[in-house]
Amino acid sequence: MKTHRLRRWLRGILIALGALLLLAVVLDRVFPLPLPATDSGSTVVLARDGSPLRAFPDRDGVWRYPTRIEDVSPLYIEALLTYEDRWFYRHPGINPLALARAFGQWVKHRRLISGGSTLTMQVARILDGTPHSFGGKLLQMLRAIQLEAHLSKREILTLYLDRAPFGGTLEGVEAASWAYLGKPASRLSHAEAALLTVLPQMPSRLRPDRNPRAAQVARDKVLVRMSDLGVWTRAQVHDAMIESVAARSLQQPMLAALLAERLHLEQPKARRITTTIDAPLQRMLESRVSDYLSRLPARTSAALLVVENATGEARGYVGSALFGDEQRLGHVDMVRAERSPGSTLKPFLYALALDDGLIDSESLLIDAPQSFGDYRPGNFDGAYNGPIGAAEALRLSLNVPAVDLLDRVGPARFVARLANAGLDLRLARGVKPSLPIILGGVGVRMEDLVGAYTAFNREGLAARVRYSPDEPLLERRLISAGAAWIVRDMLEANPRPGYAPGTFDPGTRPRVAWKTGTSYGFRDAWAVGATRAYTVAVWIGRPDGTPMPGQYGAVTALPLLFQTIDSLPRTSVSATPSPPPASVSQVEICWPLGLAVDPDHADLCHVKKTAWILDGVIPPTLAEREAGVWAAGVSHVRIDARSRERLSAGCTRKQEGVIDVARWPALAYPWLPRELRRRASVPPLAAGCADDGLDALQSLRIEGVADGATLARAPNSNTPATLRLRALGARDEVMWLVNGRLVGSTQASATLEQTFPETGPQTITALAKGGGYAQIQVRVLR
């Protein structure tokens, strides 16, 4: 009988337990845990060292940085579990002993002395928002048990670390650590760990930015508890109590704001986005750009990008002068904006010309007025230099030699080669590549330009700029390693503005291959520089495209470029030249022919140059365009051996000889010194010989003033001295230059009226399209 009753009693218990279990399952399904979605909430964009660059609040405006246990100092975990829930890893979500103690204290003192809540119960309240009441406490307990049934202790602790309230719109220990202490939660001291442990108890009353004294009292209470329980030594607690609670005002991080916004838009569901940005460097760059622009015209903005050559990773990214500044359109990211590059594309053109065997580093180029069909480029300052080496033409950023080279390389091929390496040149719809692109008649993005410039320090391989360490390194062949080395050497030889050779010791400064650019109408000022380790680009202008007269690359952008480069980390090889690759060698060449020095024909070598050549190829001077009166290279001239006069075809003498004359390109003659003109001139034509056309270069004559004349304005007149000039003997267009500057053009022997407002010697040159020229000197007194 007793056995039967026992069985019935056990059966009843099992049925009751089963019913309770079924009820728990049903309730669990009907009232599921309000767990946050893994891809919901706020997002934080991090620097490469884990420090936050910018955080984006969730839809409720809460700032919360995703946190893992590994990202938090062990000191904080110790303080939290010791002070809040020493039995966390042993109880099933509620602690009956703690609840009983709390109830007894309430009965005895008629007020709440300790809450008795476990960490799991606190997480339940955070997730469910239960009220501070008896019913709320009961619901917390049920939810705590539910949490323990579904989640591991590690997951529950992570939820607390991620979502505990810390005052205002701050949630989570990582966000609180950065906001209140300016450091990651992984680097907390004993005092800081105790402070952040106690803050969630009364986050509004204990905020250290508002009530530092109350926060310190509560912190010290935690420290005493840690000492009494023997978790921390008395010496550690004593030292921690000495630390004051800093009354730091809450400031959300706002570094690389435009990059962070860009990455957040690209990955809207990601809660942690790690970048390649160097936080201390980024902070310095933003401060430097802001200070630098304070001296520039209103509404001026700037962009700056620093990329590590070896990895292609961006270390600094300043998209605008001041993020959020409406006057400067600070919300516009100029790193990604399409702008005219000015002359910053020229190094790529010279490198491609090297690879094509068109030039070496000292090839003779001609900087003189020229027409390319209906396109006539001019230099930035309006002056011309005549014959000039390729390296110097690149360093001076001369326009006519660059257009000449692009015409020979081919605009379409140039654009395609850059596009293949990641530098897309944006042309207007329906417009085909043409010669003006080399002077900035195209749109580029700064990040694409910088990626291409890394090729000069990556053996010719261009790298796409990386903003995340997870992005793959994408690299494409742009130029050969030899061409990259030669062009970099050409640009590194350009001295820093304001420093003459020998006036300072550059031994500790990094070697910089730099280039500036200015777009048409002074709308964009550029400076791009590359060291062994980094490539840096600076853009200054107005995002709306309005001009900034008088602001151009060398004056406006270049100083900021060098300030940035000088502040970057330096390696042991930063200041030393790198050896050339095997494909590069050095030889002596001769102008005007461009060939190697030949001791057996010393008379053909007018000027010696030491040049870098590629793959052993020594290219001759480029054939001149539209110069029908000039025979390129060497002229073999028959002469009368006795009189040394020139003999034309059909003209004979008893004693004849042949001499070789090295001729310069026709457009170079007005700039040649007298001795070089003499060496490049053919002997005079012998009497009775038919004209052979070799004197055509000297067939022009300037009429309107005598060579060596002195000019002065009329007495008591403010009108400058004026001349009416004609080029006699001209049959087509004549270009007129004064002191190397183009001042106008005429057709055939039409008249040019020219004023001379400046005093001193003036050189007047008439240059015919076919190469003929005339030149005189005058002096202006007043």
Side-chain angles (χ1 to χ4, degrees), residues 254-307:
M254 196 59 70
L255 285 176
L258 287 170
L259 174 63
E261 184 176 277
R262 169 182 177 177
L263 297 178
H264 180 46
L265 291 174
E266 292 174 356
Q267 307 173 57
K269 294 186 177 181
R271 295 190 60 201
R272 293 172 65 95
I273 301 174
T274 302
T275 72
T276 61
I277 297 298
D278 185 305
L281 175 63
Q282 179 70 26
R283 192 173 293 107
M284 181 273 294
L285 293 178
E286 292 189 10
S287 176
R288 178 156 289 172
V289 169
S290 178
D291 293 343
Y292 188 81
L293 287 194
S294 63
R295 69 195 79 165
L296 293 178
R299 299 186 292 113
T300 303
S301 188
L304 193 155
L305 186 61
V306 179
V307 173

Side-chain angles (χ1 to χ4, degrees), residues 657-709:
V658 177
I659 62 171
D660 292 334
V661 179
R663 306 295 299 272
W664 289 73
L667 294 178
Y669 278 82
W671 283 270
L672 294 179
R674 180 172 299 177
E675 174 59 22
L676 289 185
R677 290 186 195 177
R678 183 194 65 78
R679 294 184 62 182
S681 298
V682 295
L685 188 63
C689 291
D691 184 11
D692 56 7
L694 293 181
D695 293 326
L697 289 180
Q698 300 164 5
S699 61
L700 295 187
R701 183 168 63 86
I702 295 176
E703 181 188 66
V705 66
D707 188 18

Side-chain angles (χ1 to χ4, degrees), residues 138-336:
L138 181 61
L139 182 57
Q140 278 183 41
M141 295 167 61
L142 294 174
R143 283 296 196 194
I145 295 172
Q146 192 178 14
L147 277 169
E148 295 279 355
H150 284 274
L151 303 179
S152 67
K153 292 289 186 179
R154 178 183 179 84
E155 291 171 326
I156 295 171
L157 180 57
T158 300
L159 280 173
Y160 182 88
L161 298 176
D162 199 40
R163 294 179 176 268
F166 281 88
T169 58
L170 287 176
E171 288 187 3
V173 65
E174 186 71 18
S177 183
W178 280 107
Y180 291 123
L181 306 174
K183 64 194 306 185
S186 61
R187 293 167 46 198
L188 298 176
S189 66
H190 290 81
E192 292 164 342
L195 174 65
L196 295 184
T197 295
V198 77
L199 277 184
Q201 287 192 350
M202 292 180 287
S204 297
R205 292 179 55 187
L206 299 180
R207 280 180 56 169
D209 59 324
R210 294 181 178 177
N211 303 302
R213 180 57 188 163
Q216 184 162 341
V217 170
R219 179 204 68 181
D220 290 348
K221 183 179 177 182
V222 176
L223 291 173
V224 170
R225 175 77 62 84
M226 299 300 288
S227 175
D228 291 345
L229 294 176
V231 179
W232 293 345
T233 66
R234 293 189 180 278
Q236 289 172 331
V237 170
H238 177 268
D239 292 341
M241 285 188 171
I242 297 175
E243 291 186 30
S244 61
V245 173
R248 174 188 171 97
S249 60
L250 288 183
Q251 285 185 337
Q252 293 301 332
M254 196 59 70
L255 285 176
L258 287 170
L259 174 63
E261 184 176 277
R262 169 182 177 177
L263 297 178
H264 180 46
L265 291 174
E266 292 174 356
Q267 307 173 57
K269 294 186 177 181
R271 295 190 60 201
R272 293 172 65 95
I273 301 174
T274 302
T275 72
T276 61
I277 297 298
D278 185 305
L281 175 63
Q282 179 70 26
R283 192 173 293 107
M284 181 273 294
L285 293 178
E286 292 189 10
S287 176
R288 178 156 289 172
V289 169
S290 178
D291 293 343
Y292 188 81
L293 287 194
S294 63
R295 69 195 79 165
L296 293 178
R299 299 186 292 113
T300 303
S301 188
L304 193 155
L305 186 61
V306 179
V307 173
E308 187 177 74
N309 294 327
T311 63
E313 295 181 349
R315 295 289 179 246
Y317 185 114
V318 181
S320 67
L322 186 61
F323 178 70
D325 187 331
E326 293 185 4
Q327 185 186 29
R328 300 181 188 271
L329 300 181
H331 63 283
V332 179
D333 188 350
M334 300 310 298
V335 171
R336 293 197 294 168

Side-chain angles (χ1 to χ4, degrees), residues 532-685:
R532 297 293 183 272
Y534 301 97
T535 297
V536 182
V538 173
W539 171 90
I540 295 178
R542 288 174 174 153
D544 60 6
T546 54
M548 295 194 306
Q551 304 295 329
Y552 51 95
V555 167
T556 308
L558 190 59
L560 181 57
L561 173 77
F562 279 114
Q563 288 179 22
T564 301
I565 287 176
D566 288 342
S567 62
L568 295 175
R570 301 179 188 178
T571 64
S572 58
V573 298
S574 296
T576 57
S578 63
S583 60
V584 174
S585 56
Q586 198 171 45
V587 298
E588 275 197 324
I589 64 168
C590 288
W591 287 2
L593 303 181
L595 302 178
V597 173
D598 184 355
D600 296 332
H601 296 87
D603 54 329
L604 299 180
C605 188
H606 296 182
V607 177
K608 289 183 180 180
K609 295 284 184 177
T610 302
W612 293 108
I613 63 171
L614 189 60
D615 297 323
V617 176
I618 305 177
T621 298
L622 295 171
E624 193 170 21
R625 64 184 73 249
E626 298 183 4
V629 298
W630 179 69
V634 179
S635 293
H636 304 287
V637 182
R638 291 172 51 242
I639 62 170
D640 184 333
R642 302 180 66 181
S643 66
R644 311 296 296 180
E645 293 177 323
R646 186 172 83 250
L647 303 176
S648 60
C651 194
T652 60
R653 294 290 187 271
K654 291 183 178 180
Q655 295 182 355
E656 296 182 7
V658 177
I659 62 171
D660 292 334
V661 179
R663 306 295 299 272
W664 289 73
L667 294 178
Y669 278 82
W671 283 270
L672 294 179
R674 180 172 299 177
E675 174 59 22
L676 289 185
R677 290 186 195 177
R678 183 194 65 78
R679 294 184 62 182
S681 298
V682 295
L685 188 63

